[in-house]
Amino acid sequence: MYHYSGSVAHADAGSTAGSATGLLEPGARDQDALYFQRCTWCGTAMFHRVLCPVCRGSELRTERSAGTGTVRHSTVVHRNTPAARNVSLIEMSEGFVVRGRVMGPLIGIHGGDRVRLSTAKDPVRGEPVFQLVDEPYSAWS
């Protein structure tokens, strides 16, 4: 039996966790990688959930993301920060959506832009940080 704790599934006493079950050991995690859960029943990918939003299953396995995605929505926030910053919703190539920050000019980040993971956690906010794959306005030059 597996229990959800944080973003890592741990094996119960008497069970064996390994690469055959698709679970990751807590020490085997890379700090600059993004991990998500996938439901073992329906295969839905999700980020930081306790239950599957589709089938309400609780058996989730932890997987490592490739780190590439597409900006679905981006906005500029001026509140609670000394300088303006962007907050974006990124749809990852595995199918889940994550909230994060995209590095680059604030006016150059739009829906549909391709991004890749830069660091898994922003030191201040704890959100993933992404960078643009294509230069903004590259089609205009």
Side-chain angles (χ1 to χ4, degrees), residues 30-133:
D30 183 14
Q31 295 300 324
D32 287 334
L34 191 63
Y35 291 92
F36 66 100
Q37 293 86 27
R38 187 174 300 276
C39 180
T40 57
W41 290 99
C42 67
T44 302
M46 67 215 80
F47 188 69
H48 287 275
R49 295 286 183 106
V50 178
L51 297 173
C52 174
V54 175
C55 71
R56 299 291 186 226
S58 62
E59 293 184 26
L60 309 175
R61 68 176 182 264
T62 304
E63 296 181 10
R64 183 175 193 226
S65 173
T68 59
T70 306
V71 176
R72 286 294 161 224
H73 179 75
S74 183
T75 187
V76 178
V77 177
H78 298 276
R79 172 180 58 179
N80 297 332
T81 123
R85 64 181 174 91
N86 74 340
V87 175
S88 300
L89 292 177
I90 312 295
E91 184 177 347
M92 302 302 289
S93 58
E94 292 84 7
F96 66 96
V97 176
V98 64
R99 177 183 161 183
R101 183 170 60 91
V102 179
M103 295 187 305
L106 297 177
I107 62 169
I109 301 167
H110 303 287
D113 289 344
R114 295 182 308 144
V115 293
R116 71 172 180 253
L117 184 67
S118 177
T119 59
K121 286 209 174 198
D122 182 359
V124 176
R125 303 233 178 253
E127 297 175 337
V129 178
F130 297 89
Q131 61 186 16
L132 293 170
V133 172

